[in-house]
Amino acid sequence: MPLFLRRLLVALLSCALALPTGVAPARAQVPELPALGDTASEDLSPANERRFGEQIMRQVRRDPAYLPDPDTQDYLNALGFKLVSVSPARYMDFEFFAIRDPMLNAFAFPGGFIGVHSGLVLGSANESELASVLAHEIGHVEQRHIARMIAKQREGSYIAIGALLLALLAARSGSSSSGDAAQAAILAGQAAAVQTQLNFSREAEREADRVGFQILLGAGYDPAGMASFFTRLQQGTRIYESAAPEYLRTHPLTVERLSDIQNRARETRVRQRPDSLDFHLVRARLRVLQDESPQGLRDSVLYFRNQIASRSAPSLTAAYYGLAVALLKLDDHGSAVEAARNARLSSQAPSPMLDKIVSQSHFAAARSDDERAAAVRQAREATERFPVSRLTALHYIDLLQRSEQHEAMVAYLREQLALPRSDPRYFELLARGYERLGRRALQHQATAELYLQLGAVPAAIDQLQLARRANDADFYTMSEVDARLRQLTQQMREYREQLAREGRLPPEEEPRPRR
């Protein structure tokens, strides 16, 4: 089992252990998870499902396997939302993210969080195959399979939820490493009880296939992509026998399912859809990010140079782009500039990733302030061409920071449209800019909002109190800080009083009665 999954198992079981089980412990810690309702609840509400997913994502984002690469995230979310837009789930919140893992796998968390292994992107023969997997996962979310499975568990302990969610990532593979997960589950007292629920049920898989197939059609992708992807996985199972692809262990593929998918594809008019440039670019990028060791980067350089020399690359532009990414990471800036320029010249289609690699390589190779300023101008022009591109915005902000243009960075952050206020990185960057400008009150205010995004309410209150004590706050900022502080203090007071009534608050933290 990959390291990411073993770490996440611990996080999920910890989250589950924080949930109410019907018996109040003597000294329970204040849980960070939302209350999911009592055991008589018929279902996990959409709001609580989303909150539970957000809590799990806070654990995921701390894991080294999580890939916070803006270029990859932009592509996955663009592809994902193109699919979501033609499904009944288009009114739900979705977030697509990448995991650095060579295994062919994807998974869904409660609340619309869909993870994609880098190995899945690299292992997809075309964009329709990748889209088919995302459409399948969207089908699981749309049909609320996770909530429905949890609802079936309502008679038992909520501790099973941790193991149940882990099952969406990895079933037991029979390898020695999987013993870690088994031991953790045994410690939770649930190993035997949840073994039968380690995978989505066959009916849930068939339902996700049907929904995903319709989504794929509606978005204009080739429906044969789903059939070809699952056929290759099935063939891989026969070749490697016990070492089945990870996706088959978490999404069991039966002969009936495969036949149904193939029949649906045959009954549908063939849609030849060319792969987008960004699909090839992100594949080249992930090939480099998959292994960033010095030897891994040198291997990537050799791989892309061989593709360019033999003209065997599916996309010559992507081969030059991947070469530039690898050379930048090896600090061969001059060669990176040449590769980035060739990538731009060989493409007739615009792409934020191409604009970024050009200005990024020029900035890295710059030897004077004028050359660095020219690279920053290139990045700013890219934000004008792609005003809602997250990767373009973050790249421009990065160059402004590295050029010590903190006033311009803060001004751009406050007016740009690409980074939503719900993104923790927005407040992290804003706080960093205010810190460099010496504006302490605004720095602590932004840091408080960052902590709130991460679910750390007490830390946010501490930051707001520091903002109140800063001597550089104007009346407007102080009014905002005071209002936010009153809101969070009241929220914490009510939360602790509720925990005290339920007997789940440590004795020394019990609130004093009001007078």
Side-chain angles (χ1 to χ4, degrees), residues 201 398 400:
S201 69
D398 177 57
L400 288 175

Side-chain angles (χ1 to χ4, degrees), residues 43-293:
D43 201 355
L44 181 62
S45 73
N48 278 338
E49 189 179 354
R50 178 70 182 185
R51 291 169 63 199
F52 193 27
E54 288 172 348
Q55 178 61 32
I56 297 172
M57 283 304 299
R58 292 185 190 117
Q59 302 290 338
V60 171
R61 292 188 183 104
R62 297 188 187 112
D63 195 281
Y66 176 74
L67 190 59
D69 178 56
D71 305 62
T72 305
Q73 288 179 339
D74 264 26
Y75 171 75
L76 290 177
N77 279 279
L79 175 59
F81 283 114
K82 188 180 298 182
L83 297 166
V84 170
S85 67
V86 298
S87 79
R90 59 184 174 274
Y91 301 111
M92 297 175 61
D93 290 328
F94 278 84
E95 180 180 329
F96 299 83
F97 61 96
I99 296 295
R100 196 197 315 262
D101 194 303
M103 303 298 291
L104 290 173
N105 207 6
F107 50 88
F109 283 150
F113 297 95
I114 294 178
V116 180
H117 284 204
S118 54
L120 176 65
V121 181
L122 294 172
S124 297
N126 52 60
E127 194 167 27
S128 289
E129 284 195 357
L130 177 60
S132 73
V133 178
L134 295 190
H136 178 94
E137 297 302 327
I138 292 168
H140 279 306
V141 175
E142 178 188 319
Q143 298 300 309
R144 303 195 64 225
H145 287 151
I146 301 170
R148 283 156 58 182
M149 284 192 295
I150 291 176
K152 292 178 182 178
Q153 304 276 319
R154 63 184 182 276
E155 299 297 334
S157 167
Y158 272 123
I159 297 177
I161 293 175
L164 183 60
L165 290 173
L166 175 69
L168 307 184
L169 302 178
R172 293 180 180 176
S173 62
S175 64
S176 59
S177 62
S178 65
D180 296 341
Q183 291 175 9
I186 290 172
L187 288 176
Q190 298 295 315
V194 302
Q195 180 58 45
T196 58
Q197 312 225 4
L198 280 176
N199 296 309
F200 280 120
S201 69
R202 292 183 178 181
E203 180 57 36
E205 287 299 320
R206 286 194 295 268
E207 194 172 50
D209 286 342
R210 291 193 293 269
V211 172
F213 192 87
Q214 291 303 316
I215 292 173
L216 202 62
L217 279 176
Y221 288 93
D222 185 358
M226 181 175 284
S228 63
F229 178 77
F230 286 122
T231 299
R232 283 195 298 109
L233 286 184
Q234 189 80 323
Q235 291 170 346
T237 306
R238 290 198 295 269
I239 293 172
Y240 296 105
E241 295 181 353
S242 62
E246 188 79 10
Y247 197 77
L248 291 188
R249 296 202 296 271
T250 57
H251 299 71
L253 179 63
T254 62
V255 174
E256 292 79 11
R257 275 188 63 207
L258 183 57
S259 298
D260 182 52
I261 295 169
Q262 291 171 336
N263 289 334
R264 288 173 182 272
R266 279 194 293 267
E267 294 170 359
T268 307
R269 182 172 58 86
V270 175
R271 299 185 179 186
Q272 295 292 340
R273 182 189 176 102
D275 297 331
S276 69
L277 172 61
D278 284 351
F279 171 71
H280 292 295
L281 294 179
V282 83
R283 277 166 51 87
R285 185 175 187 84
L286 285 175
R287 182 175 184 86
V288 176
L289 299 184
Q290 190 92 285
D291 182 2
E292 296 186 80
S293 67

Side-chain angles (χ1 to χ4, degrees), residues 284-285 287-289 291-294 296-305 308 318-343 357 360-362 364-365:
R285 185 175 187 84
R287 182 175 184 86
V288 176
L289 299 184
D291 182 2
E292 296 186 80
S293 67
L297 294 174
R298 287 192 291 268
D299 289 344
S300 291
V301 167
L302 180 61
Y303 173 82
F304 290 120
R305 280 182 169 155
I308 294 167
Y320 277 122
Y321 171 81
L323 178 61
V325 173
L327 289 169
L328 266 181
K329 290 187 174 295
L330 286 171
D331 293 329
D332 188 350
H333 301 150
S335 299
V337 168
E338 181 182 1
R341 184 184 300 116
N342 287 332
I357 197 66
Q360 188 177 28
S361 58
H362 275 99

